[in-house]
Amino acid sequence: MRDTEMSGRRGDSRFSRLSIVIALSASALLSVVGPAHAAPVKDPLPADIPDYQAALDAVKSTDVRNAVCRFLLTPVPADGTGGQVQTLPDTAEPCRDLPAFTIKDPVARNEITPGFVAGTAKPLPTEAIKLTQLVSSLSITVNGRNATVMLAPTQGGGWHLAAVRDGDSDATYASKATLGTLVFTEPQIRGWYQLKLTTVEPLNDEARQGLGGQASMSLSDYQKLVKARYADKLPGSEYDTNGYSSGYSPQHEADGAADSTLLLAGASSAALALTGGAVFFRRRRRLSTR
């Protein structure tokens, strides 16, 4: 009996981290599994990320590396709040004169879901949190700068480069996820949180402010907060029809206007452009409720 249980626990390593969070939540709530029976669970691969090998191939590709180098070679726009676009240098070997660096393995960037915000989804990890992007940072600072590589899912499977932006905060916070916990962002306020069982804890000042200064709160109470903040700003609302989709308003964008972002308008390097973070987040984020 003991061996069977231990074997089953090892098999959990193939499940997603999200599934483990749910299992742990159920155990805590129903009190059906005692700590004496818990076995160490290994998580050697990020099984919660689909097509992860494609993501690894993307961040290690020459095209992505060259895009990062072009980004690092281009000065940050002096006026981060403006919409002026700088064309990146289309050199044959953009990395040649830069220090050697690697792009770290990508990690999951999770966000709260529209259904959770609207209050139509239950306050459960599978309903509240959704994987939207993958993020990677650089192994070292290059010319005093770090950068975040952002991957978006490709239709039909796989991942592709969506943007490169200054700083590494997204990757730093996203990498704080551990076995049995989830890390997610409330992007409207740039808040980062950790979900332990069904308890939400802030990871940065924006998140602490988002929780009203509390050190933690239940997922159901957190849902009430975000519903009050954004439920009237979801697609189809008056807020949305005025051009501010899914709660991403110019005021929130201005909070990160000092950031610079490399936008990918097409497949060729000539299509790359550097612009202020406000323009990057001004794109319409049509989120459909499930």
Side-chain angles (χ1 to χ4, degrees):
M1 183 71 178
R2 178 72 175 180
D3 292 340
T4 301
E5 182 178 354
M6 292 290 285
S7 177
R9 290 293 184 181
R10 293 190 187 97
D12 284 348
S13 63
R14 302 304 303 169
F15 295 164
S16 69
R17 184 176 291 113
L18 188 60
S19 299
I20 295 172
V21 170
I22 298 168
L24 291 175
S25 300
S27 297
L29 294 174
L30 299 177
S31 300
V32 296
V33 178
H37 299 286
V41 182
K42 297 181 180 180
D43 190 21
L45 297 174
D48 52 330
I49 300 176
D51 300 319
Y52 189 69
Q53 186 58 52
L56 285 175
D57 292 343
V59 298
K60 297 181 186 304
S61 68
T62 301
D63 287 345
V64 168
R65 183 177 180 80
N66 285 345
V68 172
C69 290
R70 292 188 180 96
F71 176 85
L72 295 171
L73 287 172
T74 306
V76 177
D79 182 8
T81 60
Q84 184 177 3
V85 173
Q86 294 179 258
T87 301
L88 298 184
D90 189 17
T91 57
E93 298 181 58
C95 301
R96 182 178 57 185
D97 296 325
L98 291 175
F101 66 89
T102 59
I103 303 174
K104 296 179 182 178
D105 292 351
V107 292
R109 184 181 187 274
N110 301 301
E111 295 185 19
I112 51 177
T113 66
F116 180 72
V117 171
T120 58
K122 296 179 180 180
L124 297 172
T126 49
E127 300 293 323
I129 311 302
K130 182 180 180 180
L131 173 65
T132 58
Q133 291 177 318
L134 301 182
V135 288
S136 306
S137 59
L138 308 185
S139 59
I140 60 169
T141 56
V142 179
N143 295 342
R145 294 170 66 184
N146 208 318
T148 295
V149 176
M150 309 182 78
L151 302 180
T154 301
Q155 187 174 5
W159 298 85
H160 64 273
L161 179 62
V164 181
R165 65 180 307 165
D166 257 326
D168 61 354
S169 59
D170 277 19
T172 298
Y173 286 120
S175 64
K176 291 182 180 296
T178 60
L179 186 64
T181 71
L182 281 173
V183 168
F184 67 93
T185 181
E186 183 184 335
Q188 294 87 343
I189 64 170
R190 295 180 178 270
W192 283 91
Y193 306 85
Q194 189 168 47
L195 181 61
K196 297 180 179 179
L197 300 180
T198 56
T199 300
V200 177
E201 297 180 358
L203 292 177
N204 63 358
D205 289 340
E206 291 82 357
R208 279 182 279 276
Q209 294 172 10
L211 296 186
Q214 297 188 51
S216 65
M217 69 171 49
S218 68
L219 187 59
S220 59
D221 285 342
Y222 175 69
Q223 183 177 32
K224 295 174 184 176
L225 284 182
V226 295
K227 181 179 180 181
R229 282 201 279 265
Y230 311 120
D232 61 344
K233 301 175 178 65
L234 289 169
S237 66
E238 182 180 355
Y239 190 92
D240 172 52
T241 56
N242 286 333
Y244 309 124
S245 179
S246 305
Y248 287 76
S249 70
Q251 180 178 359
H252 293 134
E253 292 154 7
D255 294 338
D259 294 338
S260 61
T261 302
L262 171 67
L263 299 181
L264 298 170
S268 69
S269 59
L272 305 181
L274 183 67
T275 184
V279 177
F280 172 70
F281 281 104
R282 193 169 292 138
R283 76 194 190 283
R284 297 183 66 80
R285 302 273 310 260
R286 291 282 182 181
L287 301 179
S288 58
T289 55
R290 292 184 290 166

